[in-house]
Amino acid sequence: MSTPIVKVTDLAWGRLRAPDLDVMEEFLTHFGMVRSARTNNALYMRGSDAPHHIHVTEKGDAKFVGFAYHARSEDDLRKLAALPGASGVETIDEPGGGKRVRLREPNGYQIEVVHGVAELPPITVLRDPPNSGDEPLRRKGRLMRLSKSPTMIKRIAHGVMGTPKLEETVKWFRDTLGFVRSDDVYAGSPDNVIGSFNRLDRGDDYVDHHVFFCIRHEKTGLNHLSYEVPDIDAVMQDHEYLKSLGKYEHMWGIGRHLLGSQVYDYWCDPWGRTHERWADTDRLNTAQGGNLLSAEEGLVSQWGERPPAKFLSNIQP
Ligand SMILES: [Fe+2]
């Protein structure tokens, strides 16, 4: 395995375009985010964790612009800026500030690698811990009273792309940003990889099972943006809440994935871009290595319905 140019430390945000920022803000508010900033031409939404924003919408025709990732240091930005086709190290002229380098991944989408973006005081979300068979007294003497929906999103977790150029795309993310294989999934013969789950390389630190999932597809674009919520109750209760609004298209869920193990729920924004809310993922470090397994073994749920065709084929340019 070649040494990557850098090892990014986390996903920062997904950047979309939408023609109506009011409608986008309403959807993301129902989805559990809070507005961090709004300018004449863009909307910045945050979760309860400290990052200034975890979702950017620029005003314009509906489009997936790309993903942004946090660099370990400004020095890493300089390393990336030396790559062919990279922007220089730029000052970000947007709320939250910071510096960035803009790259193009093999399908032409913009990859921002950022450093020094502002943080805000975290927002406390009060949730009661659930009792379990093994831990029957986690809530001893207290009553379970869930906070009202929408339960606030905690953080951004992963982004998923479809592309006919799977190998080239995955290789670019691994070689450039330091992603490592969690699970590659094949159909038929093991050399026919159709999906690749990749996580961050933060050494001994434990990270989400995947920060980037790439699927082979005839269409190129975004499959979904994914966000963590505080607990499984928040997945379940906010599913009921979003359903009760009667405004949004439900795409898949609720269920528990096999690869990553999240309890998931997927909804579309008003322009058909899938957004995921989940709780309880597997967390791995570099000691766990990666696996190659078949689609029959890997692309299943531990419980819940199989993904509908409309979810699998929803790749938005
Ligand atoms: Fe996901």
Side-chain angles (χ1 to χ4, degrees):
M1 205 173 75
S2 54
T3 308
I5 310 294
V6 301
K7 294 177 180 178
V8 295
T9 59
D10 209 349
L11 179 58
W13 56 78
R15 189 182 285 271
L16 303 178
R17 282 192 194 132
D20 188 327
L21 297 184
D22 288 337
V23 172
M24 193 65 174
E25 182 172 341
E26 183 184 59
F27 165 73
L28 291 171
T29 303
H30 288 147
F31 193 74
M33 293 186 212
V34 167
R35 187 213 298 174
S36 185
R38 173 99 179 245
T39 65
N40 284 338
N41 42 26
L43 167 68
Y44 304 83
M45 300 293 285
R46 68 171 293 190
S48 59
D49 279 1
H52 183 275
H53 52 269
I54 55 175
H55 192 290
V56 180
T57 310
E58 302 172 354
K59 190 168 163 62
D61 291 341
K63 180 178 163 47
F64 166 53
V65 179
F67 301 125
Y69 299 92
H70 291 287
R72 187 182 309 235
S73 65
E74 217 174 300
D75 200 43
D76 277 359
L77 296 188
R78 285 188 281 275
K79 284 183 199 162
L80 292 165
L83 292 175
S87 72
V89 177
E90 305 172 324
T91 298
I92 302 177
D93 183 21
E94 288 181 283
K99 300 239 165 110
R100 73 174 175 191
V101 171
R102 284 175 297 125
L103 308 166
R104 295 269 164 206
E105 55 78 48
N107 304 284
Y109 290 103
Q110 172 178 280
I111 302 299
E112 298 167 89
V113 182
V114 305
H115 189 257
V117 180
E119 297 207 327
L120 301 169
I123 295 168
T124 304
V125 178
L126 291 174
R127 304 286 287 183
D128 288 312
N131 290 329
S132 69
D134 280 344
E135 295 182 272
L137 298 177
R138 289 178 69 194
R139 204 174 65 251
K140 58 181 182 240
R142 283 165 54 190
L143 311 177
M144 169 66 87
R145 294 294 179 267
L146 297 171
S147 52
K148 261 182 67 184
S149 291
T151 319
M152 203 168 172
I153 297 287
K154 178 176 169 59
R155 54 183 280 270
I156 188 167
H158 60 261
V160 179
M161 279 181 64
T163 172
K165 296 191 275 190
L166 177 78
E167 286 91 352
E168 193 188 337
T169 303
V170 171
K171 181 172 164 36
W172 186 91
F173 278 87
R174 290 179 183 169
D175 291 353
T176 312
L177 306 180
F179 294 171
V180 295
R181 177 171 79 169
S182 287
D183 292 295
D184 283 350
V185 180
Y186 65 87
S189 91
D191 59 2
N192 183 36
V193 172
I194 57 161
S196 177
F197 291 87
N198 296 269
R199 66 183 184 273
L200 300 164
D201 179 352
R202 290 208 309 236
D204 293 339
D205 288 353
Y206 285 92
V207 298
D208 291 4
H209 173 271
H210 53 278
V211 70
F212 178 63
F213 177 40
C214 193
I215 42 185
R216 184 189 301 284
H217 202 280
E218 61 197 14
K219 291 186 278 188
T220 304
L222 177 73
N223 177 254
H224 66 270
L225 288 174
S226 177
Y227 294 87
E228 183 179 5
V229 298
D231 49 42
I232 292 169
D233 267 311
V235 179
M236 308 293 284
Q237 79 176 93
D238 286 40
H239 173 88
E240 297 300 325
Y241 170 72
L242 287 163
K243 194 163 83 176
S244 76
L245 297 172
K247 296 181 89 150
Y248 305 116
E249 185 178 9
H250 184 242
M251 292 301 277
W252 185 26
I254 299 169
R256 189 185 277 271
H257 288 306
L258 183 76
L259 299 178
S261 300
Q262 302 96 330
V263 173
Y264 57 82
D265 189 27
Y266 294 91
W267 292 84
C268 268
D269 79 3
W271 293 274
R273 282 81 63 95
T274 306
H275 288 61
E276 178 183 15
R277 309 173 92 257
W278 64 258
D280 188 17
T281 192
D282 298 328
R283 296 223 155 86
L284 310 175
N285 66 13
T286 44
Q288 272 87 48
N291 308 297
L292 176 64
L293 70 175
S294 71
E296 292 76 24
E297 296 170 277
L299 296 184
V300 295
S301 293
Q302 303 194 58
W303 54 262
E305 290 170 8
R306 294 192 58 75
K310 71 171 183 179
F311 173 83
L312 298 171
S313 65
N314 190 20
I315 309 284
Q316 295 284 337

